[in-house]
Amino acid sequence: MTTTTDFRPSNIQISMMTLAIIPKFRSSHLSVPDFKIINHTSTTNFTCFNHRPSDSPLEVNLSKVIPTNEIQLFTSILNQSAIHIRLESRNYVGVFHLLCYAKGEQSKGIRADIIVTAPPGVLQLAEKCRVYDRQYIKCVIRASTIARAVQNDYPVKFEFTEMAHSPDRLAYRPRFEFLKNESTKDNLTFKWQPTIDGEFPNGVRMHMKAFLPHIEDSSYYFDMTPIFQITPRFSLQTVSSNTIRMNVEPINPPVFCEKSVMQNLVSSVNRTWTVHEPNKSPYNIVNLRPKTIYRICMKCRQTQSDPEGIEQCQTISTNSLFLSCSIHWVRTDLSILSSKESQAWLDAVSQINQSTDEPFITVVELGDSMEIPLFNTRDVSTYQNRHIFKQNINKRVDCYLFENIIIPSSSANIYDSCYEALLTREIESNTAGIYVYTDDKFSSALGLIIVRITNSFQWFNGTKPFSFRKQPSIQNGTQLSLAFETTIYYNSNSDLRLYNQHIDGIVQQAKISIDHPDHSNNVHTFFAMDKLSCQRHEQIADDNLRLLTLVCLTEVIFQCPLSSGSTCWIENKRMSNIVLNINGLDFVSDRTVTVRIDV
């Protein structure tokens, strides 16, 4: 193994095991190559030993974080001066370093260089090469093994040779760019400049070779006949209550462009595209509605037969009949709703924000069930038109029910026509949020917070993990540390301002406590819990949810309250001392412990 590293010289050495068992670690059974090459699906054993043993145990680590489904590291202590290492490679390709050092003395350890190889696989053009704004061309090569190796720091060299009849008539400059930042674990992306600006001929063939140390060379021929990616550039100006002026930058040579004009709140599924001549500028869009927000999009491609171009969109409002109006940007994304659904949502939000009533917030435990009413609870009469919406943290609105027509959005939500409610049979974490349920005469809303008690539950004896399955009996007075976490799912980023403030206030005051039972009732206490400490971590869980995690640690002393010489058998004893308090509600842990306490 390589021993000249950034570490200072030390007495620690890593060696590759050549035998399955090394009696007394005699040096005749060890080999020390300059580096170790292993296969992408293999198991390799090493030994790390300290020539001058100390009180500090040896520790082993990797130089980078690698997912366990690609590389797994196992260690076992052999004696005071040696530790066994087993590396299991599971489809990883790349380079990393194996580090071994005495605990607390990383700078005095040793580094072994590990190279993980695999067959290079087949190279393939992922799609036609694309020309961007007639300035350069990009080609994406599908090469899963090589791409993964590059992402994992494997040294690689690429060569490209244009297959031209004459070296004086090359279409592209020999110097190319490898775009590692745009490459993925499946694809490699390369960029070329044309020899003559703006010219990207058809039928150019390129020969690609990839060289990776200790991996077989790869060779591939591909066609660089391009498709053109053209970005239209335009500006909008409000002229009057029914006219918007569109200024388009000229594109040379001419290309095929289309434009779309639609009201911003109307679904874009069935919108109409019309041919637009980009060199016709300025262009007036007429016969529009006054005081209305429009979304105007444009897309271009080299020829009509090329794949669809990437659309560019802008939003602008026409003037009112009496006042001039500037551009308006709508915060809420209602693109997936129909115009009627959008109007119902906007009307409901407006009424709720103007209401002086206290916001209605419900806290529910994960796995419980509840119902969301779709009628006016202040009046026993119901209305024919019932609607329910939900807004996520990115301001996207989903419609679950509109005019008695159920719109499936989650397997947990079922409309019950008898109860005229949306019944959430089993609460899922992603159902938390702010719901608006409304009809023609009344608007209301519900903020839903979901809690999960003791999401994880792990015991430690000192700093080492402890398992009651492996050690079903302990001594009276044994002290263990218990680590656990509680999660709270919520959404406080809605257009409903009062609900946001109320939900934030509830979530910020959530806390974990340890309940100390009253011993006056002569109920036996089998463990004492003390020294609770918790940390708060807030993050965005996904597009629908915010997440507060309370990560806690407490000490637990196991005690047998029976007479001396007895043994306490604890079978599925609930850890009900752990309590989450949120919004005045207590949620008690349902985790259990099974153990025998020997006196």
Side-chain angles (χ1 to χ4, degrees):
M1 292 299 171
T2 301
T3 57
T4 55
T5 71
D6 294 335
F7 293 124
R8 294 198 296 270
S10 71
N11 300 300
I12 298 175
Q13 180 183 2
I14 296 178
S15 295
M16 180 180 67
M17 296 176 63
T18 58
L19 295 179
I21 301 176
I22 303 180
K24 299 183 181 179
F25 311 101
R26 287 172 13 205
S27 59
S28 59
H29 295 276
L30 300 176
S31 64
V32 188
D34 292 335
F35 52 83
K36 177 59 181 173
I37 303 171
I38 64 177
N39 190 272
H40 68 295
T41 55
S42 62
T43 298
T44 311
N45 295 294
F46 302 87
T47 300
C48 176
F49 55 92
N50 193 345
H51 291 289
R52 294 184 180 177
S54 64
D55 293 335
S56 299
L58 289 173
E59 292 190 347
V60 178
N61 214 332
L62 302 182
S63 60
K64 63 174 71 172
V65 177
I66 302 176
T68 55
N69 63 338
E70 296 183 1
I71 291 288
Q72 276 204 303
L73 174 69
F74 302 93
T75 61
S76 59
I77 298 174
L78 300 175
N79 55 36
Q80 191 175 3
S81 60
I83 187 170
H84 173 252
I85 306 164
R86 187 171 87 253
L87 272 181
E88 291 187 4
S89 178
R90 303 174 179 178
N91 210 31
Y92 176 87
V93 184
V95 176
F96 61 90
H97 309 302
L98 183 64
L99 309 177
C100 184
Y101 48 84
K103 184 176 181 181
E105 298 181 356
Q106 289 91 330
S107 62
K108 298 180 182 180
I110 197 71
R111 186 188 85 186
D113 302 331
I114 308 296
I115 300 175
V116 188
T117 66
V122 177
L123 304 182
Q124 187 178 12
L125 196 63
E127 60 177 10
K128 280 190 173 183
C129 300
R130 287 181 176 267
V131 172
Y132 292 81
D133 297 329
R134 291 191 171 275
Q135 296 180 12
Y136 55 86
I137 189 170
K138 288 184 184 179
C139 298
V140 179
I141 308 296
R142 185 176 293 113
S144 58
T145 299
I146 298 176
R148 280 188 292 126
V150 170
Q151 294 293 322
N152 294 327
D153 303 321
Y154 208 113
V156 62
K157 178 184 176 182
F158 298 107
E159 286 185 1
F160 289 92
T161 305
E162 185 177 325
M163 309 306 293
H165 295 293
S166 169
D168 298 329
R169 299 179 58 186
L170 296 178
Y172 299 100
R173 301 173 189 175
R175 186 172 181 177
F176 65 93
E177 291 184 52
F178 170 49
L179 304 179
K180 184 176 180 180
N181 291 339
E182 295 185 23
S183 301
T184 66
K185 288 193 173 183
D186 294 310
N187 298 325
L188 303 168
T189 303
F190 301 90
K191 174 181 174 181
W192 286 265
Q193 298 287 348
T195 304
I196 302 175
D197 290 346
E199 290 191 10
F200 300 87
N202 295 336
V204 174
R205 287 183 59 78
M206 189 71 73
H207 179 216
M208 171 186 178
K209 293 194 72 174
F211 305 92
L212 288 82
H214 313 292
I215 293 180
E216 181 184 349
D217 297 344
S218 298
S219 180
Y220 177 55
Y221 292 87
F222 61 94
D223 181 11
M224 291 186 69
T225 297
I227 56 176
F228 290 80
Q229 185 71 56
I230 299 167
T231 304
R233 294 179 174 86
F234 62 94
S235 60
L236 301 175
Q237 179 184 2
T238 301
V239 177
S240 66
S241 61
N242 65 354
T243 302
I244 291 174
R245 181 168 297 158
M246 185 176 186
N247 293 281
V248 182
E249 293 186 15
I251 302 175
N252 189 33
V255 295
F256 180 82
C257 293
E258 297 172 290
K259 70 175 181 299
S260 168
V261 180
M262 56 182 293
Q263 294 184 43
N264 193 58
L265 299 183
V266 176
S267 173
S268 61
V269 175
N270 296 318
R271 60 177 163 168
T272 301
W273 290 90
T274 58
V275 177
H276 177 82
E277 299 177 18
N279 291 334
K280 185 178 179 181
S281 184
Y283 177 85
N284 285 339
I285 303 172
V286 297
N287 298 325
L288 304 178
R289 298 178 60 181
K291 202 176 181 180
T292 302
I293 299 173
Y294 284 90
R295 183 174 177 83
I296 299 175
C297 300
M298 193 172 181
K299 59 184 179 182
C300 299
R301 51 190 188 269
Q302 180 73 10
T303 65
Q304 191 169 356
S305 60
D306 282 348
E308 290 286 329
I310 298 176
E311 62 185 64
Q312 304 291 317
C313 299
Q314 295 184 32
T315 307
I316 192 172
S317 173
T318 54
N319 291 341
S320 69
L321 289 173
F322 308 101
L323 299 173
S324 61
C325 182
S326 59
I327 295 177
H328 290 285
W329 297 93
V330 176
R331 295 177 60 203
T332 301
D333 178 9
L334 304 178
S335 60
I336 66 173
L337 304 183
S338 68
S339 56
K340 288 185 179 181
E341 291 168 349
S342 299
Q343 194 59 51
W345 164 263
L346 295 173
D347 290 345
V349 170
S350 176
Q351 293 182 48
I352 294 167
N353 279 335
Q354 296 174 18
S355 174
T356 58
D357 294 337
E358 184 74 11
F360 180 35
I361 310 293
T362 294
V363 182
V364 62
E365 189 169 0
L366 190 69
D368 285 353
S369 60
M370 68 169 299
E371 71 176 45
I372 302 175
L374 305 180
F375 55 88
N376 185 352
T377 54
R378 301 176 185 176
D379 189 341
V380 294
S381 62
T382 60
Y383 304 108
Q384 181 65 25
N385 295 324
R386 295 188 291 273
H387 324 294
I388 184 167
F389 302 91
K390 177 189 174 185
Q391 188 180 56
N392 70 18
I393 61 175
N394 291 325
K395 302 298 181 66
R396 192 191 75 197
V397 178
D398 295 304
C399 182
Y400 291 168
L401 183 73
F402 188 78
E403 295 184 350
N404 294 329
I405 301 174
I406 189 70
I407 303 175
S409 61
S410 172
S411 60
N413 296 329
I414 302 173
Y415 176 59
D416 192 319
S417 58
C418 296
Y419 291 95
E420 295 177 331
L422 203 68
L423 299 183
T424 307
R425 304 294 187 187
E426 294 292 330
I427 295 291
E428 297 176 352
S429 59
N430 61 2
T431 61
I434 296 183
Y435 294 78
V436 172
Y437 45 97
T438 179
D439 51 45
D440 291 342
K441 300 180 181 179
F442 178 79
S443 294
S444 187
L446 165 68
L448 195 62
I449 300 174
I450 296 177
V451 300
R452 178 162 55 183
I453 311 300
T454 55
N455 180 34
S456 63
F457 206 74
Q458 190 167 2
W459 294 94
F460 293 90
N461 187 357
T463 59
K464 297 180 179 180
F466 180 90
S467 171
F468 286 106
R469 291 184 178 179
K470 295 181 180 179
Q471 191 172 338
S473 63
I474 57 177
Q475 294 296 315
N476 189 32
T478 296
Q479 177 179 306
L480 300 176
S481 296
L482 173 61
F484 62 92
E485 66 181 34
T486 292
T487 50
I488 300 172
Y489 302 91
Y490 66 101
N491 175 10
S492 63
N493 195 35
S494 166
D495 284 342
L496 305 180
R497 297 181 298 275
L498 293 177
Y499 280 80
N500 295 338
Q501 297 171 6
H502 199 175
I503 288 177
D504 258 335
I506 291 174
V507 170
Q508 295 305 321
Q509 295 185 38
K511 63 179 181 180
I512 299 286
S513 63
I514 299 296
D515 183 25
H516 297 282
D518 184 3
H519 298 286
S520 61
N521 55 9
N522 294 323
V523 175
H524 293 310
T525 302
F526 296 98
F527 41 77
M529 305 177 69
D530 199 9
K531 297 182 180 180
L532 173 71
S533 62
C534 297
Q535 293 185 347
R536 304 170 68 94
H537 301 282
E538 296 188 53
Q539 59 180 311
I540 295 176
D542 56 33
D543 287 345
N544 298 305
L545 292 171
R546 295 189 176 202
L547 174 65
L548 168 67
T549 304
L550 297 172
V551 182
C552 301
L553 185 69
T554 185
E555 292 182 359
V556 181
I557 300 176
F558 289 82
Q559 53 196 20
C560 182
L562 304 181
S563 59
S564 177
S566 301
T567 296
C568 287
W569 294 85
I570 300 176
E571 185 74 23
N572 292 327
K573 174 66 176 177
R574 287 187 63 182
M575 304 292 292
S576 55
N577 301 56
I578 303 172
V579 180
L580 166 69
N581 182 274
I582 178 171
N583 203 33
L585 302 172
D586 286 336
F587 295 90
V588 179
S589 168
D590 61 353
R591 292 299 182 99
T592 61
V593 172
T594 298
V595 66
R596 187 184 79 199
I597 304 177
D598 296 326
V599 178

